[in-house]
Amino acid sequence: MKKLKVLVLGQLDRALAEKLNAIAEIEYVDREERLPEEQIKSLLADKDAVISEPLDTISSAVMDSSKQLRVIANRAVGFDNVHIPDATQRGILVTNTPGVLDAATADLAMALLLATTRRICEADRYIREGKWTGFQNDLMLGPDLWGKTIGIVGMGRIGKAFAKRARAFGLKIIYTRFSPKDKIDSQLWGDYDAVRVDLDDLCKNSDFISIHCPLNSQTKGLIGQAQLDQMKPQCVLINTARGAIIDEQALVSHLVNKKIGGAGLDVFADEPNVPEELLKLDNVVLVPHIGSACFETRFQMAESAVDSILSAFSGQRPNHLVNPEVWNERTQNELAQVKSEAR
Ligand code: GLV
């Protein structure tokens, strides 16, 4: 019996593999670094769907390598690694995995804020290097969080989950978001006393800033030289969203020249490359894009990607369509046709 063919970039939990296997033949590529474009193209050549991750660039050339590619299920909430207009033009559905990773990502942002302000990694190194001689009143001091102001850039699901945590730590919240004012602002005021401001005011008035917006043409380089210049000299910047939202060279220069207080970074402009200068700084905490790296969360993200493929080929609208305009009668007929040929 001919089955649908699905390329899985990465691995799948056994239960999910079995679920997908009911309708599809799966080829896995468990890679630790970005695959060359030519390799993804040849792996994809005979596939109907692919499960991709932020590491995988799905360009128009990659899409064109398969005549029958119908679904790109990106196992992430961000989808800047997939060229959406090209997918839309080709009638390829793109799905993502929002919702299930809000808590994990907000937790990591809070962990980075605490680690940076309370100098956790630096203190750990200090002990391991045998430097500790006993309690000292002025050893490893950092700023209190309580009563300070946190600026949240982007108030979607993850931004709100972070606001909830920030509130519990006694932080005052200001935020900026792109969509026009609506009832969300009064809700955020009611829930967290959170005040909407513009980006300039956020940069000027925050003791700490956490980035929670998606990367797109509107947000690329959003935090540049001018925004960094406006920040308080002690300001600590946290980024668990995407590296390219910040002008990385400007950030490095502000950190090296001590123009801001520090940074906690989970994401970088050109992963896995991390600017050399950052490696030498004690006021910077660096982690390798692990915002959603919790067992349960990663399972749910994979489940969401698998369910998207199962739904699409069963004629049901996948829950998290990035390009809903592709879910039209023509696509549904084509998917039904692929499915019936695959029986
Ligand atoms: C991870 O970076 C994601 O976008 O889910």
Side-chain angles (χ1 to χ4, degrees), residues 54 76-78 101 242 289 301:
V77 64
L101 45 70
R242 285 293 183 270
H289 203 148
M301 290 165 73

Side-chain angles (χ1 to χ4, degrees), residues 54 75-79 97 101 240-242 267 289 292 301:
R75 195 179 350 192
V77 64
F79 44 83
T97 66
L101 45 70
T240 52
R242 285 293 183 270
V267 287
H289 203 148
S292 59
M301 290 165 73

Side-chain angles (χ1 to χ4, degrees), residues 11 19 27 57 136 146 205 210 336:
Q11 275 302 331
K19 205 168 161 185
E27 180 171 354
T57 303
Q136 284 161 266
W146 183 259
N205 296 313
S210 193

